Amino acid sequence: MACENKMKSVKVVAELPNLKAVPSNYSVDHHHNSSPAIDSIDDSLPVVDFSLLSSEDPHQHSKAIQDLGRACEQWGFFMVVNHGIAESLMKELIGVANEFFLMPEEDKWRYKGQQVFDPIKYGTSFNYTSKETTFYWRDYLKLSVHPDFHSPHQPKNFRELIWEYCEKCRKVTKMLLSGISESLGLEEELMRKSLDLDSGFEIFTNGKYKSVLHRAVVKKVPRISIGIANCPAMNATVRPAASPLIQNERLPPLYLPMKYSEYVEKQQTKPLDGKSSLDQIKIKLKQT
C-alpha cells in the first residue's frame, strides 16, 4: 500500500539531508506562555507518594491527600512515585513504541485517522485534519483502549505491552481520582461516578484546580512520550461539581455544561490555540 498522505511526518522532515534548522511552519509564537518561568519558582516538582495515598494509616493518608490537593491547585500536575508499575515494563513499552515510529512510512500511514473518533489514529502535528497553518514538531499514535481495546498488530508484542501498561495505569488513576475528590471535600467516588469514568474512552473543579498547557523542549535527539488520557464517557455531560465548589453568587459556576463528545470534536477539528477549546465554554461573569 503506497503512502497516500500528503503531509510528511516529522521523522521524515528531520531526516532531510539538507535540513539546517526547524522549518518556519513549525515555529509557534509564545503568546500563550502564561506559566511562570522555571527559575522563578521552587525547583522541586510536586511529588505524590502513591503508597501513602493508599495507606491505611490515617495520618499518612491525610498528608498524601493534602500534598495531592496542593499540587493540583498550585501546579496543575505532579509526579507519582511508588506506584507499583515495574520500571522494566515501562522500558519495554518505550522500546516497542520506538519500533513503531521506526517502521516504514507506508506501514505507519495505514493507521491514518479519517474521523475524530477513529479508535486508532497515526498522524503528525496536533490535528487529525490538515487545517493547521502552523504545525507541531511531533508524530503521534493515538489509541482508544477503554472500554474497548484497540491497537496496531505491529510491531511484535506492541498490543500485549500496551494492554498490560494501560490496565495497571487505570488502577493507579482510580486511586488518584478518589484522592482528588477527597481533597476537594467531595465524596470519594463522586468524580468517577458523575463522569462515568468506567465507561470513559476538568471544568469539574470549577477552576479551583489548574489546567496547564502541555509543552516540551525540542532537542537534537528523539523523544518518546507516552500519555494516557483518562476521559469521561463520551455521552457524559461535564460540568462543575456542586457544593462546596459552587456556592451561589459567592462561587458561581465558571463553565457551561457540555457533553464530552462535543468538546472532543470541537478540540480535534480546529487548529490548536493554547486552551481555546476550554476558554470557549467559560461563562462570562457580570462585572460588579
Side-chain angles (χ1 to χ4, degrees), residues 93 96-97 100 103 110-111 118-122 141-146 148-164 166:
L93 186 57
V96 78
F100 176 88
M103 292 195 314
R110 292 176 188 270
Y111 302 106
D118 284 349
I120 302 178
K121 293 200 294 286
Y122 168 77
L141 174 66
K142 294 183 178 181
L143 308 176
S144 176
V145 296
H146 189 84
D148 300 314
F149 180 77
H150 301 271
S151 170
H153 289 276
Q154 55 181 336
K156 184 180 178 181
N157 296 332
F158 189 79
R159 287 175 61 86
E160 291 80 5
L161 288 169
I162 285 286
W163 167 263
E164 182 180 358
C166 289

Side-chain angles (χ1 to χ4, degrees), residues 47-90:
V47 175
V48 172
D49 190 327
F50 188 80
S51 65
L52 300 184
L53 192 65
S54 56
S55 172
E56 295 182 0
D57 183 307
H59 176 71
Q60 289 185 335
H61 177 77
S62 177
K63 182 182 184 305
I65 293 295
Q66 291 174 18
D67 291 343
L68 180 60
R70 191 179 303 112
C72 291
E73 188 167 1
Q74 296 179 1
W75 288 74
F77 65 92
F78 49 85
M79 180 170 65
V80 181
V81 298
N82 298 324
H83 44 67
I85 303 177
E87 185 176 354
S88 58
L89 174 59
M90 294 188 284

Side-chain angles (χ1 to χ4, degrees), residues 175-204:
M175 179 66 73
L176 288 173
L177 289 175
S178 294
I180 290 173
S181 289
E182 189 177 345
S183 72
L184 289 166
L186 303 172
E187 177 193 341
E188 190 174 312
E189 296 299 310
L190 179 63
M191 189 176 293
R192 182 178 64 83
K193 292 176 181 177
S194 61
L195 299 180
D196 195 13
L197 292 174
D198 289 337
S199 299
F201 253 76
E202 226 19 76
I203 298 175
F204 188 83

Side-chain angles (χ1 to χ4, degrees), residues 128-148:
Y128 88 99
T129 68
S130 58
K131 295 179 180 179
E132 295 161 299
T133 55
T134 302
F135 300 102
Y136 277 63
W137 191 254
R138 70 160 189 173
D139 299 325
Y140 64 79
L141 174 66
K142 294 183 178 181
L143 308 176
S144 176
V145 296
H146 189 84
D148 300 314

Side-chain angles (χ1 to χ4, degrees), residues 30 136-138 213-219 223 225:
H30 299 285
Y136 277 63
W137 191 254
R138 70 160 189 173
L213 288 173
H214 181 109
R215 291 171 298 176
V217 177
V218 175
K219 296 187 177 180
R223 173 182 178 270
S225 176

